[in-house]
Amino acid sequence: MACVAVLAPLVATVDAAPAAAPIGWAPGAYVPLRTFRLLNTASGVGAPKRPVAGLAAVTLQVTGRGSVPVANVGAVVLNVTAVGGTNSGSVVLYPHGSRRPNTVHVRYEVGAPVANLVTVPVGTGGAVDLFNLSRGTVQLSADVVGYYVAGTPSVVGGFQAIAPTRLLDTHTGRGVQSGIAGPVQALGGVQLFATGRAPVPADGVGTVVLNVTVSASTAAGSLTIFPNETPQPKTMSVSFGVGQTVSSHVTVRLGTYEALSVVNSSQGSVHVTIDLVGWFVSQFWRRDVLPAAANGMTIGVDPVRVYQSTSATPIPANGAKSVKVLGQRGVPATGVSAVVVSLTEVKAAASGSLVAHASGTPAPGVANLFFSAGRRVTNSAIVPVGGDGSITVVNRSAGPTQVMVVVVGYVRHLPVSVNPVSTGQSGWGMLQLLSCPTVSFCATVDQFGNALTFDGATWSARRHVIGAASALSCSGPTFCMAVGAGEYAVFDGRSWSSSLGGVPFTPTFLAVSCSSATRCVAVVSGGQASTSATSVWNGSAWTSPISAPHVVASLDCVTDSWCMAVGGGKASALVGNTWSSPTQVSLLADSSLKLSCGAVDACTVVTPTSQLAVLDGSGWHEGISFSARPLRDVSCADQHACFLATDQAVIQIDGLVQTGSFPPVAAIGTDLSCPSATYCVSTLADGSVVSLESGVWSDPVRIDPEGGVTNVTCVSAISCAAVTDGATVTWFDGGRWSAPSPLPTPTAATTRSYSDIACTSPVACTAVGASGAVAVFDGTAWMLDAGAPGDSFTSVSCPVERRCVAAANSAVSVVDHGTWTRVGFLVLMGLSYVDCATVEHCLLVGAGKWSAFDGVAWSSPSDLGLAATAIDCVGASWCLAVGASGGVGTSATFDGTSWVTGQMPMQATSVSCTSAAWCAAVDDTGRLSTFDGSSWSAPLSVASFGTRYRVECVATGKCVVGGA
């Protein structure tokens, strides 16, 4: 059997992102990146190798470099370092092509290095300018740590970058309530209103990003900025020394009244200047969108001090400290990709720097904060979170250092959910469970835990909701419960949610029956072989197990206050939460019983021996038989209409009398559900679904075609193509997969064997395979490319329409509008996997080697560090390869020059990336792991329907997985 699975985000707004944003990320979303050095004037990276002259600017190209995409970047977050200044001065950052603002981002002194986090919109051509506001020269470096998606934010937590807007200047009295100029006095403060002035709206601003500068201080101390209706936190926003001028990047949540308090916690006066450089959407403005409803949304919190070292417990020289950040006050325990923190060097024995990074990952070679002995320094950072929910702070100095870490916000990252959908009209086969509470609603779950629902007209896409379901029960179109070993899943009429919450025991559910959304009774594994245990669901939680009076093989609940249970040769009713005395019914000893009740005290039980036990007003009757064929299932619509399923027919009975028999067009499966006396739904042995309405069977409706998916390609969330069985192709339009259509047979072969496919648009695709198989799609039909060489191609990449690179085991060929050129013959033997970011940037991997293509020739193969089995490039200077090294799962990232390898939790065979901050990989057992730019997630089993899985991602968290 074959299947294609779609992995969808948990929240639909991710799919509804405007076209201006990268697919899957709403405007204003923050995309954390692996730290990448964009600028270093000391070494000639990103600019000429010379210091920046006084009163001069250096233009830095940001987009299309490192992990930053070419388009849809609204603002970048840079860690900017100034060092080697010949005079004291400052650095101003602004969009290239725009006017230099009257603000300062980095203040530096002669010789000493200083770093500051800067958020700046990108300008003309995707560049920003760094202006040296000094008479002397200075060396500058800039490391990108993330970016914000372009566009107007419409989701809570979305970021809007603006030109720096002056909110407060005590030198002039601007923003001071009294309007009087003058420094903030010792232990004094001012109030600051951050909203209501163009271009900032009067409401809808939840958290602000500020550039804060302090100067002319008469005593050392710190400045704290916080919502004015909250108590002053024991944290620092900016630290300063006597007479020192310091600038700092500050993120702070606004309070109910959208006002801030600025308090000077020193014994001397200080001048303060504050510029607003951006803001995050508040939930009070967007009431129709839940907080953090999409990936990359940033949520501000009241400052949470998560770590404070002391003189007795400093971070030792060149030592590190792991700090738990998730699950702290206001910060979720899961679903967070990065935290916004304030780092403060409280007391240091020697000069040095602090580096913050995700725990479990290598420390980057850049610093978040530089400090000198005896001088307190604060800086902000946006730090990815490690797999254990922690960040690590490294003390790069020769002496012990006391450090304080304060979390002021977090970036949402929703986990991947699995939503398998069909590749055909409508069953995969092996549909084990079926429940139809009405004639216009059904739900079914297959043996792999994939659920579909039916609305009376069409079947939904598949959604993986549970590991292995043992029972399914729906009380109506707005509530279903699926249970299994160790978990349960609930359907609310729109979507499924899987959880282990609200279970006061280790759950092993064996059966379940739901009479309403607030009442389900489940059979759970009991402690004694002679009895079972039951647990009751009240709409939010399960009760602790209580013993049933006998073994329960099957149960059915007709109302919230009446259920029937059978098994162990006995039957008993659960009335409310009390069991009746068991009734001895010898036929009920079989463990494979199927029970259905049409009303209170009106039930039918079938056994594999083709016999029935019927409960009516006079008691139980047993030993009845209506068919010589094995009875597979029973469903009672009411007290007078029950339906029995054999492998060849559905039989209707009324109590002890047969009233009809309906042989279908094909063999009946194991599942039958009848919501009315005239309507039934059943699965067939091949996985199709049929319905019986007023004695007439519908045609079978299939859910999946047979055959293996060789490879998948997508140009958008609503346009994918998959090669099936190496001989056919099927198309996805966002809701359904088409019936497979044949690919042309190569002239030199008797069979078709296509192995890879690449599309640049819905009307331009190329498929390649063995024996010179190359087929081209023009939007109307597939045609053989007769000019292709006779190589057995293993992969193909098409960066632009009608220009592709195809790799074989011993050669690589380029086709440009129908003209083929073979390059690298034999030299590139064994390098079988290719991906191209542009027509002049391709990478080829395999056999432990790699080679780069510049549009004309391939470089000599070099060692890669792993035996790669797949590669994907999201830009000319960022690629990811997966495979194995020494039998251990390994991945490697490429920055345009060199590779960095690291372990991953499985040996992946396919990978797809939407950005350098999000990739998904699968292995041949159907497990999927995601990459956030620094680390891989634990593998999640997404499919069990075959082998040789392939993945193609159209958006962050939304991928297509196919297997043979």
Side-chain angles (χ1 to χ4, degrees), residues 144-427:
V144 63
V145 297
Y147 70 90
Y148 292 101
V149 175
T152 301
S154 59
V155 179
V156 173
F159 179 71
Q160 178 66 64
I162 61 174
T165 300
R166 182 65 46 93
L167 299 180
L168 177 70
D169 188 347
T170 59
H171 298 87
T172 64
R174 180 183 179 90
V176 179
Q177 286 183 306
S178 65
I180 301 174
V184 181
Q185 297 302 310
L187 304 179
V190 296
Q191 282 197 341
L192 175 67
F193 289 91
T195 61
R197 293 178 243 182
V200 187
D203 59 7
V205 179
T207 299
V208 291
V209 180
L210 308 173
N211 190 63
V212 182
T213 301
V214 297
S215 60
S217 54
T218 60
S222 63
L223 205 68
T224 303
I225 305 175
F226 56 97
N228 72 333
E229 76 266 27
T230 64
Q232 180 179 345
K234 296 179 180 180
T235 59
M236 307 168 193
S237 301
V238 186
S239 298
F240 51 84
V242 178
Q244 187 182 20
T245 300
V246 177
S247 294
S248 186
H249 184 281
V250 176
T251 300
V252 58
R253 182 187 68 83
L254 293 182
T256 303
Y257 305 106
E258 298 184 333
L260 299 172
S261 293
V262 182
V263 174
N264 171 23
S265 300
S266 79
Q267 298 296 324
S269 63
V270 63
H271 273 294
V272 181
T273 302
I274 298 179
D275 296 301
L276 178 67
V277 298
W279 48 274
F280 297 94
V281 174
S282 163
Q283 70 185 87
F284 302 108
W285 184 35
R286 299 287 179 177
R287 296 181 185 275
D288 56 327
V289 182
L290 294 175
N295 280 323
M297 298 298 111
T298 304
I299 308 299
V301 299
D302 290 333
V304 182
R305 186 164 59 180
V306 292
Y307 175 67
Q308 170 75 71
S309 59
T310 65
S311 57
T313 60
I315 301 178
N318 297 312
K321 174 66 178 180
S322 178
V323 178
K324 187 78 171 181
V325 292
L326 299 193
Q328 307 297 320
R329 187 180 71 249
V331 183
T334 60
V336 174
S337 64
V339 287
V340 186
V341 300
S342 173
L343 296 173
T344 301
E345 171 270 313
V346 179
K347 184 178 181 181
S351 298
S353 62
L354 295 179
V355 179
H357 64 96
S359 294
T361 66
V366 299
N368 298 102
L369 179 151
F370 290 94
F371 56 82
S372 301
R375 176 175 288 181
R376 182 176 295 179
V377 182
T378 301
N379 194 17
S380 293
I382 305 178
V383 187
V385 179
D388 62 350
S390 303
I391 65 173
T392 296
V393 180
V394 180
N395 171 27
R396 286 180 175 161
S397 78
T401 303
Q402 297 179 39
V403 175
M404 180 167 63
V405 181
V406 176
V407 176
V408 297
Y410 61 88
V411 181
R412 292 295 283 164
H413 177 73
L414 304 179
V416 175
S417 65
V418 184
N419 179 24
V421 301
S422 65
T423 55
Q425 299 278 319
S426 172

Side-chain angles (χ1 to χ4, degrees), residues 14-15 17-19 21-25 72 715-717 914 954-956 958:
V14 177
D15 286 333
I23 296 174
W25 294 83
N72 299 314
V715 295
S716 73
T914 60
V954 297
T956 298
K958 188 177 182 67

Side-chain angles (χ1 to χ4, degrees), residues 533-708:
T534 57
S535 177
V536 177
W537 165 264
N538 64 8
S540 61
W542 293 93
T543 64
S544 296
I546 59 173
S547 294
H550 55 81
V551 171
V552 178
S554 184
L555 86 162
D556 192 18
C557 297
V558 178
T559 69
D560 282 0
S561 60
W562 193 90
C563 302
M564 176 57 64
V566 296
K570 298 177 182 179
S572 57
L574 180 64
V575 182
N577 291 325
T578 303
W579 288 98
S580 67
S581 298
T583 299
Q584 199 78 27
V585 184
S586 59
L587 191 64
L588 304 183
D590 197 292
S591 62
S592 301
L593 300 174
K594 295 290 184 71
L595 162 72
S596 182
C597 299
V600 174
D601 291 328
C603 302
T604 299
V605 182
V606 299
T607 72
T609 59
S610 304
Q611 292 183 304
L612 277 69
V614 177
L615 173 68
D616 58 20
S618 62
W620 282 95
H621 309 273
E622 58 180 315
I624 308 161
S625 180
F626 290 104
S627 172
R629 306 295 301 178
L631 295 173
R632 298 188 171 197
D633 203 3
V634 59
S635 181
C636 296
D638 55 44
Q639 60 182 335
H640 296 295
C642 289
F643 296 83
L644 314 175
T646 74
D647 59 344
Q648 295 182 350
V650 169
I651 300 168
Q652 186 174 4
I653 63 173
D654 181 355
L656 307 178
V657 179
Q658 179 175 329
T659 57
S661 180
F662 312 99
V665 294
I668 290 291
T670 58
D671 308 290
L672 179 69
S673 187
C674 304
S676 79
T678 60
Y679 185 81
C680 291
V681 178
S682 179
T683 59
L684 301 184
D686 67 353
S688 299
V689 176
V690 292
S691 59
L692 175 68
E693 187 169 5
S694 299
V696 179
W697 289 99
S698 70
D699 292 331
V701 179
R702 287 194 55 78
I703 300 177
D704 289 305
E706 295 186 6

Side-chain angles (χ1 to χ4, degrees), residues 465-477:
V465 302
I466 197 167
S470 56
L472 169 71
S473 180
C474 299
S475 62

Side-chain angles (χ1 to χ4, degrees), residues 845 864 866 868 870-872 879-883 890-893 899 904 911:
V845 297
L864 177 59
L866 75 156
I871 183 173
D872 194 23
C879 300
L880 177 70
V882 297
T890 307
S891 66
T893 54
W899 293 87
M904 61 183 303
V911 66

